[in-house]
Amino acid sequence: MRKPSVPHKPTRRRVIYDDWMNGSDALMWHIERDPLLRSTVLSVWVLDRAPNQTGFAATLERTLDHVPRLRQRVIEDPLGVAPPRWERDPYFDLAYHVRRVRVPGDGTIRDLLDMAAPIAMQAFDKDRPLWELYAAEGLEAGRFGVILKIHHAMTDGVGMVRMTEGLVERSRDAHSAAASSARSKRAVTPAQWTAEPPGEIAHLGEAMRHRLGVSLERARRGAAALGRGITHLAGHPISGAGEMVETLESVSQLLRPVSEPLSPLWRARSLGVRFEVLEVPLDALKRGAQAAGGTLNDAFVAAVAGGLSRHHRTRRRKIAALRMSMPINIRGKDDHGTVAGNQFVPARFSVPMDIGDPRKRVQAIGALVRGQRNEPALGWIEEITVAINLLGEAAATRITGGMMKAVDFVTSNVPGPPFPVYMSGARIERMFPFGPPAGASVNITLFSYNGTAQVGVRIDPAAVPDADRLMTDLRAGFDEILGVG
């Protein structure tokens, strides 16, 4: 995946924000009937000092101007005609979303992560925009922490990078210009009187127009696909029928429920969370990938697999494979990072844990991942998720839970800026990513920033009570891949 850039000026490539949730967004919203499937994305930043307060206020105002989703709340369609939609919150209160806190204890990174853990599992107020930002004072050595929490219904990892670009600058002094520009504008205050929301008849009309538009687009796609199928059948009967069967099998594989994890250790699930982090030199990881004939993502997943295999061996549990879920970005070349909402497919497949040679492990995992990227179901994810949502929240939650709760671990690789960025005069030293639990025991996310692979590990302590041991084994897994280069 290409690395999104952080431009020098506040003006950025236009991001498209639809008024209606797509199928994946709506599914993320609905499945929270089950708290184990709570869809919270978290990022923890460590700054070298406290941001300039005037500049920080200007930065927030600029970001709110450029990202309308941050002022919008979710409105359900009471008649079930259309998916939930985004509407501007008439009671938007920035003070609710931006909170000043102090890191407890000695102000270590460990203390910051422990403070972020319960924040991650707290449900959002669904009558407000689905994000929170915690400005954390009290880190050791004069540093400053930022905890950014976003609901997965708003966006995925790649989209989150684009949405939060407005919070950062390319230099330490860039905030001065932003603050000066903000002072020249009239301050935005909550309106005392707000327009009445559209009545039920108007809302029903909008919902039906949206549903009709979506249905017509699906019909167009279906007709095109049928036309291609007829062409194939006319010239190559077997290949045309085979393509149809292959697509159906691919969709079936995507939706197939699983009854239990493959790990004999990681059986329990809870609402608890523990955050751990590790940092790996990005160039060294890329050299290891290149030497083994794979990509950065192949090397990342191979390092994780090596660490998890080692962890089971140290607990005297030899395993052949673990079940992994991995988001596959389905954005097109022209809309990478410019389309809001979720644009990924959660691929789910078994990853071998018995390949000792790190080179062979990178190659084997690379082949597996490429196979997943070529699955026919990827092109039909919107139709699949819409169909699941139409079954109702309870059924959608049950189906999705059957797909996710027996996953052993999740990996995700999100590209970030390859250079240092600043927040209102403070240099961002670290940017640790934490994906949602998604029903798994462990979620491991890599965010590349300024030459370092920042790896955030979200652990369910009920499944993995020995987090320190797990982190030691994961570090060894990365060291194996680094040694290849």
Side-chain angles (χ1 to χ4, degrees), residues 219-232 243 380:
R220 185 195 65 78
R221 286 189 59 191
L226 180 61
R228 290 194 301 270
I230 291 174
T231 301
H232 286 313
E243 184 178 346
W380 297 95

Side-chain angles (χ1 to χ4, degrees), residues 317-353:
R317 296 290 193 278
K318 189 174 181 180
I319 51 174
L322 290 178
R323 186 176 293 111
M324 181 183 81
S325 178
M326 182 183 71
I328 294 180
N329 184 13
I330 56 174
R331 287 174 171 82
K333 293 181 179 180
D334 296 331
D335 65 359
H336 185 83
T338 63
V339 178
N342 289 279
Q343 303 288 327
F344 75 95
V345 177
R348 181 187 55 166
F349 54 99
S350 295
V351 175
M353 293 286 139

